[in-house]
Amino acid sequence: MSENKIFQVGDRVRVIALPPYVKTAEPMPMLRPPDVIQLGEEGTILDRRPGGYWGVRFAGGAYLMDSQYIEVVS
């Protein structure tokens, strides 16, 4: 069950758990294995997406992340 954390566009976030797979943040999202991002990797919130997802830009690309897998970097 996903927590309803609220992020702002531009927030720095950290991966706190890896999902079973990740979706690319493209017009036609593709499923990727979770090892395209690392536990503890930091990224920037790009936007809010339908279904409770956040678009996050990481060094290796932009992915859709559920709020339960990320936290704000303080």
Side-chain angles (χ1 to χ4, degrees):
M1 180 150 164
S2 149
E3 298 173 32
N4 286 326
K5 297 179 193 170
I6 298 299
F7 301 103
Q8 301 296 323
V9 171
D11 280 355
R12 293 285 299 167
V13 293
R14 176 184 304 118
V15 178
I16 56 172
L18 289 176
Y21 59 86
V22 293
K23 285 184 187 177
T24 60
E26 298 169 356
M28 287 290 294
M30 297 183 61
L31 295 180
R32 309 298 299 164
D35 62 3
V36 296
I37 55 174
Q38 305 299 315
L39 197 58
E41 187 169 347
E42 294 185 8
T44 305
I45 297 286
L46 298 174
D47 55 14
R48 176 85 167 133
R49 300 288 179 100
Y53 289 98
W54 296 91
V56 183
R57 165 74 59 200
F58 294 103
Y63 298 97
L64 300 179
M65 300 293 295
D66 190 301
S67 58
Q68 69 180 323
Y69 299 115
I70 54 178
E71 69 179 7
V72 172
V73 176
S74 38

